[in-house]
Amino acid sequence: MRWRIMLRAASPMSHLNCRSDMPEPVFALCYDIARDATRRRVAALLEGEMVRVQDSVFEARLTPVAARRLFEQATAMVDDGDRIRLYALTAPGLAQCAVHGGPPLPEDEGYWLL
């Protein structure tokens, strides 16, 4: 049986309350995909807009619309039994995050790389 994306009348991410003066929330997308070819295709999609922080975990500051679009594109690529999860990390949640090794958490403002 293929898992269906459950959509409610209000978007599951509508509670994020993203105003134009607030930084975009950090989204973490992780997967458990059985087939190597499928896993490579999903990783290539995600690497276009997110940073790989572990083998099957990606993070980025995205709008809720962009995060949902990536999630839907990724879920369209996978087979029955594969799993994909999308998590939204808002400012209070990020304040509790800790990182050891790998890339740092996404910055809340733009920056220049010289």
Side-chain angles (χ1 to χ4, degrees), residues 35-99:
R35 291 183 38 217
D36 292 340
T38 304
R39 194 169 42 251
R40 282 192 296 271
R41 283 196 324 271
V42 171
L45 168 72
L46 299 177
E47 286 174 335
E49 296 191 45
M50 303 181 88
V51 174
R52 186 185 290 242
V53 296
Q54 292 185 4
D55 287 342
S56 61
V57 180
F58 295 79
E59 293 176 344
R61 282 199 182 271
L62 299 167
T63 65
V65 171
R68 173 59 61 183
R69 179 183 46 77
L70 270 176
F71 178 78
E72 290 173 352
Q73 288 174 335
T75 57
M77 298 176 168
V78 299
D79 301 318
D80 290 342
D82 292 340
R83 296 183 296 267
I84 299 178
R85 291 189 178 243
L86 177 67
Y87 298 98
L89 306 171
T90 56
L94 284 172
Q96 302 300 314
C97 288
V99 175

Side-chain angles (χ1 to χ4, degrees), residues 2-18:
R2 187 160 183 98
W3 291 95
R4 285 183 270 157
I5 300 171
M6 304 216 22
L7 299 175
R8 298 181 185 133
S11 166
M13 291 180 260
S14 62
H15 70 281
L16 293 177
N17 222 5
C18 294

